[in-house]
Amino acid sequence: MGAGTEPAEAQCDSLEGRIYLDYNATTPLAPEVSQAVWDAMCQAWGNPSSSHPAGSKAKELIGSARQSLANMLGGRPEDIVFTSGGTEANNMVIHTACRHFHDSQRGTGNSQGIPHIVTSSVEHDSIRLPLEQLGKEGLAEATFVPVSPRSGQAEVDDVLAAIQPNTCLVSLMLANNETGVIMPVAELSQRVCALNRRRAAQGLPRILVHTDAAQMIGKGRVDVQELGVDYLTIVGHKFHGPRIGALYIRSPGTATPLHPMLFGGGQERSFRPGTENTPMIAGLGQAAELVNKNWEAYEAHMRDVRDYLEATLEASFGKQRIRFNSHFKGSKRLCNTCNFSILGPGLQGRRVLAHCKVLLASVGAACHSDKGDRPSPVLLSCGVPPEVAQNALRLSVGRGTTRADVDRAVQDLVQAVEQLERDQAP
Ligand SMILES: Cc1ncc(COP(=O)(O)O)c(C=O)c1O
């Protein structure tokens, strides 16, 4: 293999004829991305901190990836910090908010106790669990605002009502990974910004605003100026990039606080030290370039295929037997996500999938796949009845999914359900 000319031979999308409809769990590398990773491995292996040409080449690649990410979000390259993934980026925001709270108390003479963070009841575990852990340790308190069963969204008024004098962070995901419901983040930022002006006059800590955009990037418009957030989480493997991530911070260290969780060699301006993973960063930059150029076409294609999927499900099972769990009147949702239940006894999502021969999908978040037949807490908090939620399936289509793939997947589901019903017949 010619060094730096071809990527590794592995076929990223080879699934031996199976139909992959689990793009919210992860996506394969785009060919352009694997090429960029390979090229960087071969040609930019120098330490980016070295001052000789091998180092400069790597540094240059990292700089251009940073620029691509900034372009994708409407931010500036200096507002991007590379991380190992979304989990780290989310933890870093929470860690920063707690430090910011204590810094804001120093020397004021009025103590507000421990930091308080407001989030929703449907966030990813990389938000929920660190907050629960801080709560157990008595280091912070959190309010998990329930989503409205009418909209599937955390309503702005409910989030604002949860704010206390010691609140230092509001974190609301941009789109939910299970339902695909898009949250009102721009409106929330505006309202918090106005509130912060009043709080400053009262000597209360500024409330930072974070959104986890893991599921939205590559599937819809993501612009940090429109969103008005202080922090935004980026997850490469959700948009055909490598398994690293980044955090957008509006002017880190000046307009917006950012406190490192790791200490070391000073990389990423000491916000996230450790020798940079140049090939993966180059791949992430390439993935961002693809999104920049094509996101509208990706979105239109996925929406078309997802709508076709929903129509085909209804036509195949009958309107009475299908319940779409993420159709909320007035709420926008991701273009690629279809969460539904096939109604009937013994048709738990996990059992149906186990009887599928070609379809690869999931019943909810991949990180909950070990939770047995328990219905998804996200669906329950959206008001889906438990007996419906336990039959839920999440099918998420991708850039390359076709209507023919959908036909095969639905046919597979029909056969799986027929088999299960035959097995149950007395
Ligand atoms: C909404 C959301 N946030 C965060 C993450 C975590 O990202 P990572 O897998 O890079 O740690 C995921 C991935 O599953 C996600 O769906």
Side-chain angles (χ1 to χ4, degrees):
M1 195 173 285
T5 55
E6 320 165 51
E9 265 169 22
Q11 256 294 341
C12 295
D13 55 359
S14 126
L15 291 168
E16 288 154 359
R18 313 280 306 253
I19 308 285
Y20 183 81
L21 295 185
D22 204 10
Y23 288 89
N24 284 8
T26 198
T27 59
L29 293 186
E32 296 87 339
V33 171
S34 34
Q35 183 72 54
V37 170
W38 177 253
D39 288 350
M41 278 179 164
C42 298
Q43 296 163 8
W45 45 266
N47 187 324
S49 299
S50 300
S51 47
H52 48 63
S56 319
K57 170 89 186 160
K59 194 172 176 185
E60 228 173 80
L61 269 189
I62 292 170
S64 97
R66 203 185 300 282
Q67 182 69 59
S68 301
L69 260 77
N71 294 346
M72 175 175 79
L73 304 172
R76 304 171 314 153
E78 54 270 39
D79 297 339
I80 303 292
V81 170
F82 293 108
T83 64
S84 61
T87 299
E88 184 187 335
N90 285 348
N91 274 264
M92 199 171 177
V93 171
I94 292 170
H95 169 77
T96 290
C98 292
R99 281 284 310 271
H100 151 74
F101 172 83
H102 291 297
D103 288 351
S104 72
Q105 300 292 286
R106 203 161 293 136
T108 60
N110 64 342
S111 168
Q112 299 292 341
I114 57 171
H116 173 246
I117 292 163
V118 182
T119 189
S120 82
S121 59
V122 297
E123 299 294 314
H124 189 260
D125 279 358
S126 55
I127 289 288
R128 186 175 64 82
L129 292 178
L131 290 177
E132 285 181 1
Q133 185 60 27
L134 287 168
K136 276 186 212 143
E137 293 173 15
L139 297 173
E141 47 178 353
T143 302
F144 297 89
V145 174
V147 293
S148 152
R150 278 184 312 283
S151 64
Q153 295 179 330
E155 303 286 357
V156 173
D157 284 339
D158 294 342
V159 174
L160 292 175
I163 287 173
Q164 305 175 7
N166 57 335
T167 303
C168 57
L169 175 70
V170 167
S171 178
L172 181 60
M173 69 197 329
L174 198 46
N176 183 265
N177 41 317
E178 292 192 38
T179 60
V181 169
I182 296 173
M183 302 288 174
V185 172
E187 187 193 341
L188 179 65
S189 300
Q190 271 177 17
R191 303 263 305 265
V192 171
C193 183
L195 180 63
N196 273 335
R197 284 194 287 273
R198 298 199 291 279
R199 284 170 67 97
Q202 297 165 337
L204 295 175
R206 166 182 162 202
I207 301 168
L208 303 164
V209 181
H210 167 242
T211 191
D212 176 349
Q215 292 294 341
M216 188 72 173
I217 293 174
K219 301 173 194 161
R221 185 176 175 81
V222 179
D223 181 312
V224 288
Q225 309 310 335
E226 278 174 18
L227 290 169
V229 291
D230 298 307
Y231 309 96
L232 181 142
T233 293
I234 301 151
V235 178
H237 72 97
K238 306 289 183 181
F239 60 103
H240 300 265
R243 226 153 261 181
I244 61 160
L247 182 65
Y248 160 86
I249 314 100
R250 189 178 299 277
S251 304
T254 52
T256 312
L258 186 64
H259 295 289
M261 293 194 296
L262 306 175
F263 294 86
Q267 294 87 351
E268 295 296 276
R269 292 159 289 158
S270 289
F271 291 126
R272 206 294 189 175
T275 303
E276 298 89 336
N277 191 346
T278 312
M280 298 305 144
I281 291 174
L284 187 63
Q286 181 59 56
E289 280 295 318
L290 291 172
V291 168
N292 264 339
K293 284 198 199 107
N294 306 313
W295 74 266
E296 280 161 310
Y298 295 152
E299 185 185 21
H301 171 76
M302 288 188 269
R303 189 178 300 285
D304 174 73
V305 175
R306 193 272 317 271
D307 290 349
Y308 179 72
L309 167 64
E310 295 192 345
T312 311
L313 283 167
E314 267 192 1
S316 306
F317 287 97
K319 262 194 171 154
Q320 303 310 317
R321 286 204 76 190
I322 290 281
R323 186 207 198 267
F324 292 109
N325 299 319
S326 49
H327 286 188
F328 295 97
K329 231 182 175 178
S331 294
K332 294 203 176 102
R333 59 191 180 119
L334 284 179
C335 58
N336 78 320
T337 308
C338 169
N339 193 314
F340 67 100
S341 300
I342 306 167
L343 305 179
L347 298 180
Q348 292 86 348
R350 224 171 278 279
R351 295 188 75 201
V352 172
L353 284 182
H355 281 72
C356 284
K357 297 204 164 48
V358 298
L359 172 64
L360 301 174
S362 63
V363 296
C367 48
H368 288 166
S369 57
D370 58 347
K371 300 269 159 74
D373 266 345
R374 266 183 288 161
S376 149
V378 168
L379 294 185
L380 295 180
S381 34
C382 291
V384 178
E387 65 283 7
V388 176
Q390 70 178 3
N391 285 16
L393 294 165
R394 180 191 67 182
L395 271 50
S396 43
V397 308
R399 292 173 191 174
T401 308
T402 62
R403 287 181 170 219
D405 293 333
V406 166
D407 287 336
R408 281 187 64 210
V410 174
Q411 197 184 12
D412 196 30
L413 276 170
V414 169
Q415 284 167 358
V417 167
E418 283 170 359
Q419 180 66 53
L420 276 165
E421 286 176 335
R422 270 198 302 275
D423 294 349
Q424 284 177 65

